[in-house]
Amino acid sequence: MKEVGDWKVLYNYREVEKDATLGALFDSDFAGGQLDAKGHVFAIAYGIFKNSDIALTYFDVQRDISSTETDYTRLHVDISFKYEANGKRGRK
């Protein structure tokens, strides 16, 4: 986010089967990093300072969809600060 008061909203649905991807490359926040899961991700962020925001992300996921389903719910709170270094970019 660039300005104070900016909002961002996200919704994502995923269904990932066993062996669908290499586990090391999979999103570790979704289903605790396990494959064979399906569920929803809801997120909302608000700009608290210029180039800074606070975000809430809620995961509502069912793991082990091929056999016994196990619920996985998590809430993340993140504060992000973005900055640019002073000086010129690029090569001289």
Side-chain angles (χ1 to χ4, degrees):
M1 302 220 199
K2 300 220 177 221
E3 299 295 328
V4 176
D6 285 353
W7 286 91
K8 186 173 16 175
V9 178
L10 167 89
Y11 170 76
N12 183 291
Y13 176 80
R14 300 179 198 178
E15 185 168 346
V16 183
E17 296 178 0
K18 281 185 181 180
D19 302 322
T21 185
L22 181 62
L25 301 176
F26 188 63
D27 181 4
S28 64
D29 292 331
F30 185 80
Q34 293 184 8
L35 300 174
D36 195 26
K38 65 180 177 180
H40 309 273
V41 179
F42 304 93
I44 188 166
Y46 178 74
I48 53 176
F49 303 111
K50 184 176 180 178
N51 294 325
S52 301
D53 61 52
I54 186 167
L56 296 172
T57 306
Y58 179 71
F59 298 88
D60 184 17
V61 180
Q62 294 175 338
R63 295 191 290 195
D64 301 323
I65 57 176
S66 62
S67 57
T68 308
E69 292 186 2
T70 305
D71 288 335
Y72 175 90
T73 55
R74 293 291 182 269
L75 178 66
H76 288 199
V77 178
D78 296 305
I79 298 177
S80 300
F81 299 96
K82 299 175 187 173
Y83 66 93
E84 291 183 15
N86 291 333
K88 296 181 180 179
R89 293 184 185 180
R91 297 180 183 181
K92 291 183 178 182

